[in-house]
Amino acid sequence: MGLEEEIDDIEAEIASTPYNKSTEAHIGRLKAKLAEKKEKLENQSSAGGGTGYDVEKTGDATVALVGFPSVGKSSLLNSLTNAESETGDYEFTTLDVNPGMLKHRGANIQLLDVPGLIQGAATGKGDGKQVLAVVRNADLIMFVLSVFEIEQYDRLQEELYNIKIRVDEQPPRVTVRPKIKDGIKVTSSADQDLDEETIKHVLRERGYVNADLNLGEKVDIDRLVDGLMENREYIPSITCVNKVDLIDPDYKETVDEQLRERDLDPEEVTFISAEEEKGLEALKDRIWDHLDLIRVYMDKPGRGVDREEPLMLEKGSTIEDAVDKLGGEFKERFRFARVSGPSATHDKQQVGDQHVLEDEDVLKLILRR
């Protein structure tokens, strides 16, 4: 029996087994085994080569536009960036990953229009695995939905989950330390619904015989398995609904209800018309807000403050991070810095390399001669 058949059999057994306390350990073992089989199949597929969509990450951040065929991703990319992605009123217009660069609030944000997903992409349909591999490297996922097909969101989420992308989740606070004897010891800082024997069954299925496991949160079986795996990607997302120019105003209430059914707040979703370029400024702002970038304006000797091309850093970055990004002589000759702006207690405050910067700070580096 091949790996794909084994995976199908395990998934069928999980689906047919009622979940209760008496079956919990059995289901835990099955899910751990399923994760192992899928990982092995993925490694085999990767070793087999084939056509991929290798796109070099450039700019300050990367956003993947994820949606089924003909939802308007290509038109949206063209409207937001300088890209020229082919568009058409038929499915599968986009056959390769098309990059474009969105310039917003001083940041260069790479947008990737990936080929339209279809159901079953995670198992390889429609070059799905290659497409989703590109998504795994993104800093933000943007779901692009047609206003007439909000239910596509469910299938997109499923495909991403099957390719080990955990959307809008934080990594489980699960740590495991192998040891050479004394079996498995479980400690937890949160009350667990899973009993200890079930947890140990899952660890043994993952190959742990002697280990210390610490759980920093309440976990179910899926979160426990994810915490033991190293190939999960945790990526934030936003959602936009396209083609709103084609509906009557009264239909908006129906769309809002469909979004709420999927735990999407209509106020948090951006409604756009890529074709008529409506709602795009709001979408740009939402992209910026979810990337957690900050702008730092450099005070350059003899030239003053450069507000045209800020240094882009991740939120929470320190002076040390800024110096590392600048590289070269800045890192070698750094003495201290002067900061003005939101993070400073006063203008031109003298600070060390562990000072945490905030958006729109002005930074001057003092270097050794």
Side-chain angles (χ1 to χ4, degrees):
M1 182 185 293
L3 275 174
E4 292 184 359
E5 289 81 5
E6 291 181 36
I7 288 170
D8 289 342
D9 286 349
I10 296 171
E11 288 178 335
E13 186 172 355
I14 292 172
S16 64
T17 304
Y19 186 91
N20 53 53
K21 275 294 178 184
S22 64
T23 63
E24 189 176 70
H26 177 62
I27 291 176
R29 286 195 299 269
L30 288 174
K31 288 190 172 183
K33 185 178 294 185
L34 179 63
E36 181 185 3
K37 298 291 185 184
K38 285 186 173 181
E39 185 177 32
K40 191 176 294 185
L41 179 62
E42 181 182 347
N43 291 337
Q44 284 185 4
S45 300
S46 299
T51 303
Y53 300 93
D54 188 17
V55 179
E56 181 182 358
K57 290 185 71 171
T58 62
D60 300 303
T62 298
V63 180
L65 280 61
V66 173
F68 276 70
S70 300
V71 296
K73 292 186 287 81
S74 296
S75 296
L76 178 57
L77 183 79
N78 294 341
S79 297
L80 290 174
T81 74
N82 56 359
E84 293 184 359
S85 182
E86 184 182 353
T87 61
D89 295 328
Y90 47 89
E91 294 190 349
F92 301 106
T93 306
T94 305
L95 298 177
D96 295 307
V97 173
N98 291 307
M101 193 65 71
L102 166 64
K103 297 182 182 295
H104 189 58
R105 299 193 189 182
N108 292 313
I109 302 169
Q110 183 185 42
L111 302 185
L112 299 179
D113 170 20
V114 300
L117 293 180
I118 60 171
Q119 195 161 9
T123 59
K125 293 181 181 178
D127 286 339
K129 284 186 177 179
Q130 293 91 335
V131 171
L132 292 170
V134 172
V135 180
R136 284 172 62 90
N137 291 320
D139 301 298
L140 178 68
I141 292 170
M142 182 160 68
F143 292 106
V144 185
L145 306 176
S146 164
V147 71
F148 302 109
E149 296 175 294
I150 300 300
E151 71 280 357
Q152 289 180 343
Y153 182 80
D154 303 329
R155 302 201 298 277
L156 294 171
Q157 285 275 5
E158 181 181 352
E159 294 301 328
L160 293 176
Y161 188 89
N162 288 339
I163 203 69
K164 306 174 188 65
I165 295 173
R166 302 297 181 253
V167 178
D168 297 327
E169 292 185 18
Q170 294 296 318
R173 296 197 299 276
V174 173
T175 56
V176 59
R177 184 174 61 84
K179 55 189 183 182
I180 59 175
K181 61 180 182 177
D182 296 334
I184 295 173
K185 181 182 178 182
V186 179
T187 58
S188 177
S189 59
D191 292 334
Q192 301 292 335
D193 288 338
L194 293 177
D195 63 54
E196 187 168 309
E197 199 54 41
T198 297
I199 294 170
K200 289 181 177 180
H201 277 309
V202 173
L203 259 71
R204 292 189 191 104
E205 195 61 51
R206 287 295 304 148
Y208 293 101
V209 177
N210 300 292
D212 290 329
L213 174 73
N214 180 260
L215 303 175
E217 64 176 65
K218 185 176 181 178
V219 297
D220 58 14
I221 290 174
D222 292 323
R223 287 282 284 176
L224 175 59
V225 171
D226 281 349
L228 298 174
M229 305 294 288
E230 297 180 353
N231 59 355
R232 277 32 176 173
E233 296 292 339
Y234 298 85
I235 308 176
S237 77
I238 60 174
T239 300
C240 70
V241 175
N242 192 22
K243 305 183 181 181
V244 295
D245 55 305
L246 302 180
I247 63 169
D248 294 328
D250 292 344
Y251 188 68
K252 172 69 162 53
E253 188 174 332
T254 300
V255 176
D256 287 352
E257 184 57 34
Q258 291 175 336
L259 291 169
R260 292 189 192 98
E261 289 172 0
R262 289 157 179 85
D263 293 326
L264 291 170
D265 183 349
E267 297 297 322
E268 301 283 328
V269 171
T270 310
F271 292 85
I272 65 168
S273 169
E275 198 67 35
E276 296 191 2
E277 299 192 354
K278 292 181 179 178
L280 299 190
E281 289 305 313
L283 182 58
K284 292 176 186 178
D285 288 341
R286 188 148 279 166
I287 291 171
W288 166 266
D289 291 340
H290 282 75
L291 284 174
D292 282 341
L293 295 173
I294 62 171
R295 297 158 289 183
V296 175
Y297 304 115
M298 300 302 299
D299 187 347
K300 300 178 179 179
R303 289 178 285 174
V305 179
D306 181 1
R307 296 186 181 273
E308 296 300 316
E309 295 185 10
L311 179 67
M312 305 303 302
L313 298 169
E314 293 181 6
K315 190 175 291 185
S317 292
T318 62
I319 299 289
E320 182 180 24
D321 296 321
V323 172
D324 284 344
K325 186 163 185 178
L326 291 168
E329 65 172 359
F330 295 100
K331 190 171 182 178
E332 296 169 3
R333 297 172 54 200
F334 175 78
R335 289 176 58 205
F336 60 89
R338 296 192 185 279
V339 178
S340 301
S343 76
T345 56
H346 56 82
D347 281 351
K348 299 183 180 179
Q349 178 187 358
Q350 180 173 322
V351 296
D353 63 359
Q354 295 309 301
H355 177 84
V356 178
L357 294 161
E358 295 185 25
D359 188 36
E360 298 198 279
D361 273 344
V362 174
L363 173 62
K364 183 172 185 176
L365 300 180
I366 310 302
L367 307 178
R368 297 185 181 87
R369 295 185 181 277

